């Protein structure tokens, strides 16, 4: 299972503030296998319910599946977001990892919800993926907007694909017509359009720069105009201990955006700013967006009791009357790594460490303890044998992370730690998430940590790259002893916030989110996207990866925790099919749907067809699903079940 792990004292946000261009690791074309050279590459091809197991349904109720369109039948290509244009058409993006050979947007005719049919596809440029899709009406024309992010194999020039946004005329969805193939020169993760009088604007996520909130005028979609770029460095009131980074993936950056009209043309945006929380902006002057407020995560975490809390503000929208914000965290790693140097000059120093994906994972039962030995770049062949050490310390560069890990494993090391190279892009101190496959634990650390693990004083991060720093020792040098362990802190879940104060009003999490028995083998159990009911301010729909589609009622006053057996673990037989197998405060579950074959839901949106409301959802492995709320619907998958 892919994990994104850092220590509880990580300060990646500060590291990122020193990096202006988060691009590829090896401009010569050697792809060593990384995910976090781009701090927004959060949804790569490691999330697969089929490959990793899945949650078996116990009871599906309240949310009835009406129809399904498998689109291109891509079962390993990772469909992404879903949107509806209000005219009976749905739009579904694709990542198409790892090859990016069929990325783009599929358009489905959903006018007959029981029999949706794919009618066309908009292709993205080669080695470019589509994370987000939206449509907006501009002067009688339906405009499709989709994001562009580089992906796929690194080419010899050191670049991948294209960034920016693309705009298409889909007034006739069967014949999409290009308006602007790619606008902007940076990767864009998410977008949201809105009308203000006769003008149409779009707010988005800049993947590559510190001023990562941008606004574009698309009143003339053939010739969009960039109006503004702002970000966390511009908002001193949003900067605090949490914005410096908290939890496992410790960073602060824009991940998602949404805009609402508070009334009488008073427009506000909510920006999901990872550990800095959910930030609100006054966007009445799109050329000069102004900071309003930011949220702070309760400490300790109200569900798992962990301190400091995880953070990871991933996506947020406004409810129907804009009185509340429906928000969610994305946390792919239910464990928090604690890595410490235990000998020598730097004894007692805690350090960041991100684990590889297809390697044994450090958890509360599996640690990595011992002395390190420096083995160079470990690109195959002979390397110094352990000779009393247990952990290979490796410099990044020259070959893939997988080869490094397997080389260390073949030599008899029990684990490996790779420290960043001086010439990497981003350099030295930035963290990456390494794609590595081996039979030993494998971590990536900043270059400064590599020096500390070797007991070398005098390293100055400001002198890297290009400045003077102490030389590395000869290959084979012994380093310090380390202890790498982990603590359970659960998966990401849903928060209900007051829009004016950004105070937390409630939360909701399926019980598996806080149960270590579901740490591995069940797919990703973090929530993903959320959308409110367009008419009812007290209803929200959530795409929850392997935990399926969830529907919650808000402001119920309920305080629910799952029942426990005598061991303290969740008593699933007692809790199912009764609908109290979740954590809820002022939020009550009223519907769920999990496929018997396993779910992997990413996107959700609400639309009207023939005067009736439907919920559209995108499953990464099986395409478009169309649901309706149905209080009478209940399907039991457990013995002796009774419908609620």
């Amino acid at each position: 299972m892919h994990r994104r792990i850092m220590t509880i004292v990580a300060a990646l946000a500060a590291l990122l503030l020193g990096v202006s261009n988060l691009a590829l690791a090896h401009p010569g074309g050697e792809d060593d296998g990384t995910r976090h050279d781009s701090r927004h590459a959060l949804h790569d091809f490691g999330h697969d319910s089929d490959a990793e197991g899945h949650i078996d349904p116990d009871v599906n109720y309240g949310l009835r599946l009406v129809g399904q369109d498998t689109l291109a039948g891509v079962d390993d290509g990772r469909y992404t977001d879903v949107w509806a244009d209000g005219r009976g058409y749905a739009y579904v993006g694709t990542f198409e990892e790892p090859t990016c050979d069929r990325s783009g947007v599929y358009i489905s005719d959903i006018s007959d919800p029981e029999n949706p049919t794919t009618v066309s596809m908009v292709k993205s440029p080669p080695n470019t993926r589509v994370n987000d899709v939206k449509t907006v009406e501009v002067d009688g024309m339906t405009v499709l907007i989709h994001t562009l992010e580089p992906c796929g194999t690194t080419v010899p020039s050191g670049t991948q694909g294209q960034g920016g946004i693309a705009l298409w005329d889909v007034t006739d969805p069967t014949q999409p017509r290009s308006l602007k193939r790619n606008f902007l020169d940076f990767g864009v993760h998410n977008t949201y359009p809105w009308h203000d009088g006769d003008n149409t604007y779009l707010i988005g996520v800049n993947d590559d720069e510190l001023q990562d909130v941008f606004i574009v005028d698309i009143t003339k979609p053939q010739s969009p105009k960039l109006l503004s770029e702002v970000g966390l460095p511009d908002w001193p009131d949003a900067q605090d201990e949490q914005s410096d980074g908290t939890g496992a993936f410790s960073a602060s950056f824009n991940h998602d955006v949404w805009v609402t009209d508070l009334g009488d043309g008073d427009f506000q945006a909510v920006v999901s700013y990872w550990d800095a929380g959910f930030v609100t902006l006054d966007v009445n002057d799109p050329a000069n967006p102004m900071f309003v407020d930011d949220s702070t995560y309760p400490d300790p975490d109200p569900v798992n009791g962990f301190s400091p809390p995880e953070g990871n503000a991933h996506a947020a929208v406004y409810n129907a009357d804009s009185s509340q914000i429906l928000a969610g965290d994305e946390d792919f790693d239910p464990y928090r790594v604690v890595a410490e140097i235990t000998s020598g000059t730097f004894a007692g120093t805690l350090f960041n460490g991100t684990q590889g994906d297809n390697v044994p994972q450090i958890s509360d039962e599996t640690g990595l303890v011992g002395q390190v030995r420096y083995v160079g770049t470990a690109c195959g062949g002979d390397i110094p044998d352990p000779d009393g050490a247990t952990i290979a310390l490796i410099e990044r560069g020259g070959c893939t992370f997988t080869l490094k890990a397997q080389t260390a494993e073949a030599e008899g090391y029990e684990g490996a730690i790779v420290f960043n190279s001086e010439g990497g892009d981003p350099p030295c101190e930035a963290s990456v998430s390494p794609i590595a496959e081996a039979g030993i634990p494998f971590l990536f650390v900043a270059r400064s940590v590599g020096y500390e693990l070797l007991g070398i004083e005098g390293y100055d991060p400001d002198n890297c790259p290009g400045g003077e720093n102490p030389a590395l020792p000869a290959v084979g040098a012994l380093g310090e002893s380390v202890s790498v362990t982990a603590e359970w802190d659960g998966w990401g879940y849903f928060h209900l916030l007051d829009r004016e104060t950004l105070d937390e009003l409630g939360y909701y999490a399926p019980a598996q989110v806080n149960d270590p028995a579901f740490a591995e083998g069940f797919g990703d159990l973090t929530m993903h996207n959320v959308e409110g009911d367009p008419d009812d301010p007290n209803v929200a729909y959530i795409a929850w990866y392997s935990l399926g589609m969830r529907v919650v009622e808000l402001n119920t006053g309920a305080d629910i925790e799952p029942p426990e057996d005598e061991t303290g673990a969740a008593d699933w037989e007692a809790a199912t099919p009764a609908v109290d197998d979740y954590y809820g405060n002022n939020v009550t579950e009223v519907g769920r749907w999990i496929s018997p074959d396993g779910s992997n839901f990413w996107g959700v949106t609400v639309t009207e067809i023939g005067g009736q409301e439907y919920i559209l959802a995108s499953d990464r492995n099986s395409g478009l699903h169309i649901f309706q709320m149905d209080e009478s619907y209940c399907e039991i998958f457990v013995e002796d079940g009774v419908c609620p």
Side-chain angles (χ1 to χ4, degrees):
M1 177 183 294
H2 178 67
R3 301 186 184 277
R4 294 166 170 80
I5 300 183
M6 295 183 182
T7 63
I8 59 175
V9 295
L12 180 58
L15 302 178
L16 292 174
L17 291 176
V19 180
S20 61
N21 181 22
L22 303 181
L24 295 171
H26 292 275
E30 176 66 58
D31 185 357
D32 63 7
T34 65
R35 290 206 174 91
H36 282 172
D37 273 356
S38 170
R39 58 195 166 132
H40 294 81
L42 303 178
H43 304 292
D44 291 299
F45 49 93
H47 309 294
D48 183 356
S49 292
D50 289 340
E52 299 175 352
H54 59 79
I55 293 291
D56 292 323
D58 42 27
V59 55
N60 289 341
Y61 74 98
L63 190 65
R64 180 171 59 88
L65 180 64
V66 174
Q68 184 176 357
D69 186 354
T70 57
L71 306 170
V74 177
D75 60 4
D76 62 352
R78 312 300 180 266
Y79 296 107
T80 57
D81 204 15
V82 60
W83 193 255
D85 63 13
R87 305 177 302 151
Y89 292 93
Y91 303 79
V92 179
T94 54
F95 264 18
E96 291 291 352
E97 296 282 13
T99 60
C100 282
D101 57 352
R102 286 187 293 174
S103 294
V105 180
Y106 290 96
I107 304 177
S108 178
D109 182 342
I110 58 172
S111 57
D112 178 1
E114 296 183 3
N115 298 287
T117 304
T118 301
V119 296
S120 62
M121 180 198 181
V122 169
K123 287 191 175 183
S124 62
N127 290 329
T128 304
R129 65 191 188 186
V130 176
N131 176 73
D132 195 25
V133 291
K134 298 288 189 295
T135 62
V136 64
E137 296 296 315
V138 181
D139 286 337
M141 177 172 56
T142 302
V143 178
L144 165 66
I145 307 153
H146 69 75
T147 60
L148 297 168
E149 290 181 307
C151 68
T153 304
T154 306
V155 297
S157 66
T159 60
Q160 295 170 294
Q162 295 181 6
I165 57 174
L167 297 97
W168 297 77
D169 179 356
V170 290
T171 306
D172 178 359
T174 67
Q175 298 290 330
R177 182 173 64 89
S178 175
L179 298 171
K180 191 71 174 179
R181 287 283 181 173
N182 73 298
F183 175 68
L184 304 174
D185 60 358
F186 45 78
V188 176
H189 200 60
N190 284 308
T191 63
Y192 190 84
W194 79 98
H195 295 294
D196 185 357
D198 294 331
N199 297 316
T200 305
Y201 302 105
L202 177 145
I203 189 171
V205 176
N206 180 332
D207 286 356
D208 302 330
E209 299 169 3
L210 296 178
Q211 290 182 308
D212 48 13
V213 182
F214 68 87
I215 297 180
V216 172
D217 186 336
I218 58 169
T219 304
K220 295 180 179 180
Q222 301 93 335
S223 53
K225 297 178 181 179
L226 179 63
L227 299 179
S228 58
E229 295 179 275
V230 295
L232 187 62
D234 301 316
W235 312 321
D237 289 342
Q239 299 174 30
D240 56 21
E241 290 183 359
Q242 289 191 0
S243 66
D244 284 340
T246 185
F249 181 22
S250 180
S252 287
F253 55 86
N254 177 17
H255 184 271
D256 203 0
V257 285
W258 204 269
V259 174
T260 192
D261 185 349
L262 299 178
D264 299 323
D266 181 10
F267 291 96
Q268 185 180 93
V270 59
V271 182
S272 300
Y273 224 93
W274 219 247
D275 293 344
F278 299 95
V279 175
T280 51
L281 302 176
D282 178 336
V283 292
N284 290 300
D285 178 3
N288 186 33
M290 302 296 293
F291 173 79
V292 177
D293 202 356
D294 75 305
S295 67
T296 300
Y297 281 97
D299 190 357
D301 185 285
V303 170
N304 58 48
F306 209 97
S307 179
E310 178 63 33
N312 297 11
H314 166 268
V317 302
Y318 295 89
N319 68 342
D321 62 10
S322 299
S323 63
Q324 295 176 328
I325 291 175
L326 318 177
D329 304 333
E330 186 177 52
D331 177 11
F332 286 110
D333 189 351
Y335 288 102
R336 192 172 299 193
V337 163
V338 181
E340 181 180 3
I341 300 173
T342 57
S343 70
T345 302
F346 298 98
T349 299
L350 300 173
F351 62 90
N352 293 349
T354 48
Q355 295 194 68
D357 51 355
N358 297 315
V359 297
Q361 295 295 299
I362 294 170
S363 69
D364 56 351
E365 296 180 353
T366 304
L368 182 60
V369 178
Q371 190 173 17
V372 306
R373 185 179 293 279
Y374 177 51
V375 298
T377 57
C379 289
D382 293 332
I383 62 172
D385 62 41
D387 192 21
T390 56
I391 303 166
L393 181 63
I394 304 170
E395 186 176 16
R396 183 184 186 182
C399 60
T400 65
F401 287 130
T402 289
L403 180 56
K404 292 176 184 293
Q406 291 177 352
T407 300
E409 180 183 12
E411 196 63 35
Y413 287 94
E414 297 176 9
I417 299 175
V418 176
F419 63 93
N420 210 349
S421 59
E422 188 173 34
D425 182 12
C428 309
E429 294 304 284
S431 181
V432 304
S433 182
I435 303 171
E437 184 173 356
I440 59 174
F442 185 84
L443 283 81
F444 185 95
V445 300
R447 189 167 180 83
S448 61
V449 175
Y451 273 76
E452 291 172 349
L453 291 172
L454 290 168
I456 300 174
E457 297 182 275
Y459 175 85
D460 184 354
D462 292 335
N463 288 337
C464 183
E468 293 185 2
N469 268 313
L472 290 171
V475 171
L478 272 174
E480 306 297 354
S481 296
V482 301
S483 172
V484 184
T485 58
E487 298 176 274
W488 172 265
D489 71 348
W491 305 80
Y493 61 90
F494 172 80
H495 302 264
L496 178 65
L497 305 179
D498 180 89
R499 194 267 306 164
E500 289 189 359
T501 65
L502 295 184
D503 291 339
E504 183 143 338
L505 303 178
Y507 54 81
Y508 161 78
Q512 296 96 326
V513 165
N514 195 36
D515 188 339
F518 292 87
E520 294 189 51
F522 297 93
D524 293 315
L525 305 189
T526 180
M527 73 165 284
H528 195 240
N529 286 352
V530 58
E531 186 160 328
D533 189 282
D535 301 313
D536 189 339
N538 293 311
V539 174
Y541 309 97
I542 308 172
W544 211 301
Y545 285 117
S546 184
L547 283 166
M549 287 299 301
R550 302 283 170 146
V551 187
V552 293
E553 184 177 352
L554 313 173
N555 304 300
T556 61
D559 192 1
I560 300 170
E561 291 191 11
E564 295 182 346
D565 63 16
E566 63 276 6
T567 68
D571 186 349
W572 298 105
E573 184 174 354
T576 305
V579 291
D580 59 352
D581 54 343
Y582 64 91
Y583 297 85
N585 178 262
N586 202 31
V587 181
T588 300
E589 182 187 291
V590 294
R592 74 173 77 153
W593 192 89
I594 302 175
S595 170
D597 297 323
S599 292
N600 198 2
F601 282 106
W602 169 293
V604 57
T605 193
V606 184
T607 191
E608 187 175 289
I609 306 172
Q612 297 188 52
E613 186 175 272
Y614 292 86
I615 300 97
L616 309 184
S618 53
D619 186 291
R620 298 199 71 185
N621 300 323
S622 55
L624 175 66
H625 292 63
I626 304 176
F627 296 97
Q628 271 194 308
M629 290 299 296
D630 182 351
E631 292 183 1
S632 67
Y633 171 72
C634 183
E635 186 175 11
I636 299 294
F637 294 91
V638 295
E639 187 177 353
D640 300 326
V642 178
C643 286

